[in-house]
Amino acid sequence: NAGVIQTPRHKVTGKGQEATLWCEPISGHSAVFWYRQTIVQGLEFLTYFRNQAPIDDSGMPKERFSAQMPNQSHSTLKIQSTQPQDSAVYLCASSFDGNNQAPLFGEGTRLSVL
Amino acid sequence: QQQVRQSPQSLTVWEGETAILNCSYEDSTFDYFPWYHQFPGESPALLIAIRPVSNKKEDGRFTIFFNKREKKFSLHIADSQPGDSATYFCAANQGGSAKLIFGEGTKLTVSS
């Protein structure tokens, strides 16, 4: 079985450009998560969906960041007007139903904002 | 606000020794505690997890010890091998929520 698939693996954007990151969760998993990892902040929760519905976006920066899950097979994280401080590894993860289950991570998208 | 704390930040042990990694938490509603390890250039991978109905969970050389009263839990890696060298993250989530809060990580180095 394929794991969580994230594309692209690496993305370089100029300051002020838009970046869209894609995630395909494990088939049959109803909970999908986005995390961000940096050296300074560590692993930060951004948002999660269950059965495609947004459940908790408490970690999402209030401006410029948005996440969607238009169908059960993919989710997107969009960052508008990217800034150098957005540079990080963005990790998507999924689990069977969310509660009391450790999500399984994809390989991540390394975003570099120049 | 850091709700899950890990110590030490880095740990070096000799091959064959038991490595002990520690975590503590603040929120008494937390009820699920996984550990992940992460090798350089890779994403975190689930290692082992425990629910507070138990105070111990074993999986091969990896054991979680859980102390609900003190809100502490630890990962013991027995017979440590150089291949265990990685960064280890503990995490916790609240009952009714799937949101995992991660600790800061412990970088483990196993020397041969």
Side-chain angles (χ1 to χ4, degrees):
Chain A
N1 286 333
V4 175
I5 298 172
Q6 290 189 249
T7 56
R9 291 294 312 279
H10 302 275
K11 185 170 183 67
V12 180
T13 66
K15 181 178 176 181
Q17 292 183 328
E18 181 177 287
T20 300
L21 313 180
W22 298 75
C23 171
E24 179 180 334
I26 294 171
S27 178
H29 281 192
S30 64
V32 176
F33 307 80
W34 285 96
Y35 283 82
R36 176 169 65 180
Q37 186 173 28
T38 61
I39 298 295
V40 174
Q41 297 295 330
L43 278 160
E44 296 179 277
F45 168 83
L46 295 176
T47 186
Y48 90 93
F49 299 83
R50 180 182 285 125
N51 294 320
Q52 301 171 231
I55 303 298
D56 183 343
D57 66 355
S58 58
M60 291 280 275
K62 298 306 178 189
E63 298 179 353
R64 303 187 296 106
F65 282 65
S66 62
Q68 295 183 334
M69 191 161 186
N71 57 60
Q72 64 184 6
S73 63
H74 91 272
S75 175
T76 58
L77 179 67
K78 182 180 292 186
I79 309 171
Q80 295 177 313
S81 185
T82 54
Q83 303 297 310
Q85 61 265 30
D86 299 331
S87 297
V89 176
Y90 289 83
L91 293 162
C92 179
S94 70
S95 67
F96 184 68
D97 69 5
N99 287 352
N100 287 348
Q101 292 190 347
L104 304 178
F105 285 90
E107 294 182 313
T109 294
R110 180 175 295 278
L111 175 67
S112 298
V113 182
L114 304 179
Chain B
Q1 180 183 0
Q2 186 65 37
Q3 299 183 57
V4 178
R5 296 195 177 277
Q6 277 189 255
S7 64
Q9 187 173 2
S10 63
L11 176 67
T12 299
V13 299
W14 291 106
E15 182 175 359
E17 292 185 332
T18 296
I20 300 175
L21 293 70
N22 301 298
C23 279
S24 63
Y25 62 99
E26 300 166 2
D27 192 330
S28 58
T29 66
F30 287 169
D31 64 358
Y32 182 65
F33 304 89
W35 283 88
Y36 289 78
H37 59 180
Q38 184 174 29
F39 297 99
E42 298 183 6
S43 59
L46 177 65
L47 189 58
I48 187 172
I50 193 169
R51 296 183 175 83
V53 292
S54 303
N55 57 18
K56 182 180 177 181
K57 176 78 174 289
E58 288 183 86
D59 185 356
R61 296 186 294 111
F62 302 93
T63 302
I64 300 176
F65 292 93
F66 185 84
N67 185 322
K68 187 174 182 178
R69 183 178 61 84
E70 295 188 7
K71 296 181 184 175
K72 294 181 179 179
F73 57 110
S74 60
L75 177 69
H76 292 221
I77 305 174
D79 188 26
S80 296
Q81 302 297 310
D84 296 328
S85 297
T87 299
Y88 290 76
F89 293 95
C90 63
N93 78 346
Q94 296 168 298
S97 170
K99 172 183 173 180
L100 274 182
I101 308 296
F102 283 87
E104 307 96 324
T106 293
K107 184 176 182 180
L108 173 67
T109 302
V110 181
S111 299
S112 57

